[in-house]
Amino acid sequence: MLKRESLIKQIASHLAYLSTSVEILGAMHFFDLNITAEHFFEKLLNQVYGYNLTNLNHSKLNSAAIDLADQSIKLAVQVTSDRNALKIQKTLDKFAKHGLGTTYKSLKILIIGKRTGTYSTVTVPSGVVFDGRDDVIDNKSLMHTVEKKTTTELQDILTLIESEISYRHPS
């Protein structure tokens, strides 16, 4: 097997493991992993997309509508495991209600796992820049970006992931 292929498969496997864990634990109302996943995705998105995201929940717990932000490019990101259109709509509405469109040029929603479609039924409020097709990041779209990276970049992404994801079960 080629090194590149191995790296891509390992990255995909880790993301699948994290997504499945979040889904199963969330179904039992254990949301600790969702909260700590914000920190993980802050680092991962920075590595994959070249962002400079910071976790807004470090300075203000449960920041309205968004979890991460890159102030330099005016990007806001909501991290969620809830993939239905109603969650997307609520995020957009909160973003507009709190006037975040004046601070941030764009909003992305990262779904831990798999999206449910293009979110064509959501209504984008005035003052919010959002496209349900392009501004929702899920495992598949993330991996499409990851697979375009060089072998060295893939190794760096895998190193980051392996430093953050543990397969040991808490006792």
Side-chain angles (χ1 to χ4, degrees):
M1 181 182 309
L2 293 174
K3 175 88 171 173
R4 174 177 186 73
E5 178 185 0
S6 174
L7 292 168
I8 290 169
K9 286 179 177 180
Q10 288 177 75
I11 292 166
S13 178
H14 287 302
L15 290 176
Y17 169 78
L18 178 60
S19 300
T20 301
S21 296
V22 165
E23 180 182 352
I24 291 169
L25 292 171
M28 297 183 309
H29 301 282
F30 291 120
F31 296 108
D32 294 2
L33 184 54
N34 292 53
I35 295 164
T36 56
E38 291 172 6
H39 177 74
F40 168 73
F41 282 109
E42 169 193 354
K43 290 180 173 186
L44 184 63
L45 295 177
N46 287 342
Q47 183 97 28
V48 171
Y49 295 103
Y51 297 149
N52 189 26
L53 295 166
T54 57
N55 191 328
L56 299 178
N57 291 321
H58 288 197
S59 57
K60 181 183 177 191
L61 191 60
N62 277 330
S63 197
I66 56 176
D67 300 305
L68 312 173
D70 182 332
Q71 302 297 340
S72 63
I73 61 170
K74 300 188 181 302
L75 168 68
V77 179
Q78 166 74 54
V79 178
T80 183
S81 59
D82 189 343
R83 59 188 184 192
N84 67 47
L86 181 59
K87 170 62 177 180
I88 305 292
Q89 187 67 61
K90 285 181 179 179
T91 299
L92 294 173
D93 292 344
K94 273 188 186 177
F95 190 84
K97 178 183 175 186
H98 291 276
L100 296 173
T102 60
T103 305
Y104 302 102
K105 287 186 210 174
S106 58
L107 170 65
K108 303 259 186 216
I109 298 176
L110 182 133
I111 296 174
I112 305 171
K114 183 179 178 183
R115 66 187 295 149
T116 59
T118 61
Y119 302 102
S120 59
T121 60
V122 300
T123 303
V124 179
S126 177
V128 178
V129 177
F130 181 81
D131 181 319
R133 184 179 312 271
D134 298 327
D135 293 328
V136 176
I137 301 168
D138 67 348
N139 283 356
K140 185 177 177 182
S141 62
L142 186 57
M143 285 306 300
H144 278 299
T145 302
V146 165
E147 73 180 348
K148 295 174 187 165
K149 300 293 184 184
T150 66
T151 303
T152 302
E153 290 169 320
L154 290 170
Q155 183 62 63
D156 291 343
I157 292 167
L158 181 60
T159 299
L160 168 70
I161 290 171
E162 288 179 339
S163 75
E164 292 287 330
I165 295 179
S166 170
Y167 290 90
R168 290 187 206 133
H169 301 286
S171 45

